[in-house]
Amino acid sequence: MVQQQNKIMLLLALFTTVLSIVVHLLGRWMHLFDTHMHGDEALTTSAIEADFGLALNGLLILPIILFILAWLVHVFSPTNRWIPLLNTLVLTFSSISLIAGGSGRVEFHFSIFMVVAMVSFYGRIPLVMTMTTLFAAQHLLGFFLIPELVFGSHHYSFDMLLIHALFLVFTSGATSWQMYSNHKMREHMKREQQQQRGAIIDTIVSRITATSQQTLAEANKVHSKAAESADAARTIDMAIKNVADGSEKQWSRSQTHAGVMEEMNVGMSQMAVASETISKQSDETSKLAEAGAHSMKSYIAGFQNTHASVNASYSSFQTLTERIRTIDDMLLVIKDIAGRTNLLALNASIEATAAGEKGRGFAIVAAEVRQLAEQSSEAVNQIAGRIQDITKDTKETMDRMRQANEDTNDQLISIQKAGTAFDQILATASEVDEQMKTNAAAAQSLASGSHEAASSVSEVSRIAQHIQSQAANMVNVSSLQQETIDQISASAGNLHTLAHELEAIIAALKEDR
């Protein structure tokens, strides 16, 4: 503010200095102020110039020198404490020079009031008193020594001098009193403003303190909750990643199980086809056994009457032996199929157990198939044993037929035994045929169930793949959530720091208060 005041006053000092130069030019060299208001005692500018030319030049140069000095000080130090005094001297001596350059005319004495108004801009009473003292000294010197330069005549009345002095004193006094009053009023207003400011600051500080404490408490809570949320988010993120890994492994295993079930489904279909073929062969065996039984009965009935046809009967027994051998081969095939069926049923039971709740029904069917396979195997073993007996009896019959003439009765008994054996073969073949039909139906059901199980495993694989995809998305979402919680935690930490800084500011305000 002081720098701005000095700058403005320096401009006003320049104005008064230039005005002084202009008045000197117009009065001393152009003689424009020779008309006067003081009658015949007023001197012309030429007369004054002739007597006091050197003094006038000195008064013209003095404010110029003072202005240059004030300007230089302002350039090097705009807030120098001597600048106000230098500006006051420039203004005062410019007015004195202006009055002298205007031949002391009364009109130019009004410049004093202009200078008083300008100097009062500083608001400093010592500067006004300095200016007043200089103007008083000017008038006293003018009255007693050089009235020509101050009043423009050789003589000037004391009354007019007193009037000038009184108005100068009144103006300076009024100005000083106004500055003093303004100073007091400013101090009073400043004190009131300070009191109001103090009250406002106290209110603000109290409110800010309460707000800061609440903010700090909330910041601590937020920071704590953010830390807890961050820990929980990390735990959830780890759990989701574990779920995603498990889902991926489950999907991989489901793919493997789907392949195994597909292979098992193919095996079951093949087993169903083989069972149907075996059932047809068993039916044919049963028919052959039935035909053999009828032949054997006819043979026994006509044995006594066809003794002569023993050789023909011997040929028939050879044919029978070949058929029995064929039946034995079929039994081996049936036994092999029953063993495979048992193994497939065992594998199906294992896979059904691995499938859990969904494979329970399939496990029951597999157990039934396995039981039927075991029964078929036992029946085949029995039939094989019977075939061996039949083979043995047939050999004995053929040996006896060689001795038919010697022991016909023994041959008849052997033939009767063979007939009985054929009856048993027929019964066994019929039973095997029924069991194989049942086995074929069970194999068809097992193949159908295997197909449904394969479809279920494929569906489980598809669901596992979907779960794995969703788990991957959850991992991404969890990562984004973790980043967001970390940002919230960082913001809470910043809020906590700001709250502490606010407390420090409040403490500083209290100290300033």
Side-chain angles (χ1 to χ4, degrees):
M1 182 177 178
V2 174
Q3 181 178 354
Q4 189 67 20
Q5 282 183 332
N6 290 335
K7 184 177 180 180
I8 293 173
M9 289 299 293
L10 197 63
L11 293 174
L12 292 175
L14 176 62
F15 169 75
T16 55
T17 302
V18 172
L19 183 61
S20 172
I21 295 172
V22 171
V23 170
H24 275 267
L25 290 174
L26 296 177
R28 293 172 61 190
W29 288 284
M30 298 181 68
H31 308 292
L32 294 180
F33 306 129
D34 284 344
T35 56
H36 54 81
M37 298 174 60
H38 303 296
D40 295 335
E41 294 183 357
L43 298 175
T44 63
T45 55
S46 299
I48 296 173
E49 181 71 26
D51 295 333
F52 301 98
L54 184 60
L56 288 171
N57 290 332
L59 291 174
L60 176 62
I61 295 172
L62 181 59
I64 296 174
I65 295 173
L66 290 173
F67 174 77
I68 293 173
L69 180 60
W71 178 76
L72 290 174
V73 174
H74 183 269
V75 168
F76 291 103
S77 179
T79 57
N80 192 284
R81 64 189 183 89
W82 294 105
I83 293 177
L85 178 60
L86 290 174
N87 284 329
T88 301
L89 294 176
V90 172
L91 292 171
T92 303
F93 282 105
S94 293
S95 177
I96 292 172
S97 175
L98 189 148
I99 293 171
S103 302
R105 301 293 185 263
V106 175
E107 294 85 349
F108 296 107
H109 281 260
F110 288 103
S111 64
I112 295 174
F113 303 110
M114 176 186 71
V115 172
V116 172
M118 291 179 179
V119 173
S120 64
F121 177 71
Y122 274 119
R124 299 181 184 180
I125 295 177
L127 295 178
V128 175
M129 298 306 297
T130 300
M131 175 202 64
T132 303
T133 301
L134 291 175
F135 279 127
Q138 173 206 12
H139 282 71
L140 290 174
L141 289 174
F143 182 78
F144 291 106
L145 298 176
I146 46 174
E148 293 84 0
L149 295 180
V150 179
F151 304 110
S153 62
H154 293 293
H155 302 286
Y156 194 73
S157 65
F158 185 72
D159 296 335
M160 292 299 296
L161 177 64
L162 289 177
I163 291 172
H164 278 266
L166 287 174
F167 276 105
L168 177 61
V169 171
F170 288 159
T171 302
S172 300
T175 302
S176 299
W177 180 75
Q178 288 177 351
M179 288 189 292
Y180 177 76
S181 299
N182 288 333
H183 180 69
K184 289 296 183 182
M185 291 174 64
R186 282 196 298 270
E187 288 184 348
H188 179 69
M189 291 177 64
K190 186 176 180 180
R191 285 194 297 270
E192 289 183 349
Q193 289 176 354
Q194 288 178 346
Q195 292 175 356
Q196 293 176 356
R197 179 175 175 269
I200 292 171
I201 289 176
D202 290 339
T203 303
I204 293 173
V205 167
S206 62
R207 292 181 180 179
I208 292 178
T209 301
T211 304
S212 174
Q213 292 175 352
Q214 294 177 358
T215 302
L216 183 59
E218 293 298 327
N220 290 329
K221 291 180 181 179
V222 171
H223 187 69
S224 177
K225 294 296 182 182
E228 293 177 0
S229 299
D231 294 336
R234 292 187 184 95
T235 303
I236 292 172
D237 185 58
M238 292 178 63
I240 290 174
K241 288 180 179 179
N242 292 332
V243 170
D245 293 339
S247 299
E248 187 174 0
K249 292 179 180 178
Q250 183 180 5
W251 177 70
S252 178
R253 290 175 180 174
S254 298
Q255 290 290 98
T256 304
H257 292 164
V260 172
M261 287 302 298
E262 187 65 27
E263 293 177 358
M264 189 177 73
N265 186 30
V266 174
M268 287 298 179
S269 299
Q270 293 176 353
M271 185 181 71
V273 173
S275 297
E276 186 177 359
T277 302
I278 293 171
S279 178
K280 291 180 181 179
Q281 292 175 351
S282 177
D283 186 53
E284 292 177 357
T285 302
S286 179
K287 291 179 181 180
L288 290 172
E290 185 177 359
H294 286 293
S295 298
M296 194 65 182
K297 288 180 181 179
S298 298
Y299 179 74
I300 293 172
F303 179 75
Q304 293 177 354
N305 299 320
T306 58
H307 184 270
S309 59
V310 172
N311 291 328
S313 297
Y314 181 77
S315 299
S316 298
F317 269 98
Q318 286 181 338
T319 303
L320 180 61
T321 302
E322 292 297 327
R323 290 182 178 180
I324 291 173
R325 189 176 293 116
T326 302
I327 292 171
D328 187 62
D329 294 335
M330 290 181 181
L331 288 175
L332 291 176
V333 174
I334 292 171
K335 183 177 182 180
D336 182 63
I337 291 172
R340 292 184 181 180
T341 303
N342 188 15
L343 180 61
L344 289 173
L346 179 60
N347 290 335
S349 297
I350 293 172
E351 291 299 328
T353 302
E357 187 65 24
K358 293 183 178 180
R360 180 175 296 177
F362 185 73
I364 294 172
V365 174
E368 292 294 333
V369 171
R370 184 181 178 187
Q371 184 177 359
L372 290 174
E374 289 175 354
Q375 292 176 358
S376 297
S377 180
E378 291 176 1
V380 168
N381 290 329
Q382 292 177 2
I383 292 170
R386 298 293 175 86
I387 291 295
Q388 290 178 0
D389 295 335
I390 291 170
T391 302
K392 181 179 179 180
D393 293 337
T394 302
K395 286 183 178 182
E396 291 177 356
T397 301
M398 290 178 67
D399 292 335
R400 289 174 182 176
M401 284 181 68
R402 293 186 186 99
Q403 299 176 2
N405 293 325
E406 298 177 356
D407 197 359
T408 303
N409 292 329
D410 292 337
Q411 290 180 358
L412 181 59
I413 293 171
S414 298
I415 292 170
Q416 288 176 348
K417 290 180 180 180
T420 303
F422 266 107
D423 290 336
Q424 293 177 353
I425 290 171
L426 178 60
T428 303
S430 297
E431 183 179 355
V432 170
D433 182 52
E434 292 296 327
Q435 290 178 354
M436 290 309 300
K437 288 180 180 179
T438 304
N439 187 19
Q444 290 290 343
S445 177
L446 188 63
S448 177
S450 175
H451 180 71
E452 293 179 358
S455 300
S456 299
V457 171
S458 297
E459 181 67 16
V460 169
S461 177
R462 187 187 64 79
I463 294 172
Q465 184 179 10
H466 179 70
I467 292 173
Q468 193 271 338
S469 177
Q470 294 296 324
N473 293 333
M474 289 178 65
V475 169
N476 295 331
V477 172
S478 177
S479 298
L480 293 175
Q481 183 182 10
Q482 178 65 35
E483 293 178 1
T484 303
I485 291 175
D486 290 339
Q487 293 176 358
I488 293 174
S489 179
S491 300
N494 293 334
L495 182 62
H496 188 270
T497 303
L498 291 175
H500 281 294
E501 292 179 356
L502 183 60
E503 285 190 341
I505 293 172
I506 291 171
L509 286 174
K510 289 181 178 180
E511 291 179 359
D512 293 340
R513 179 70 181 88

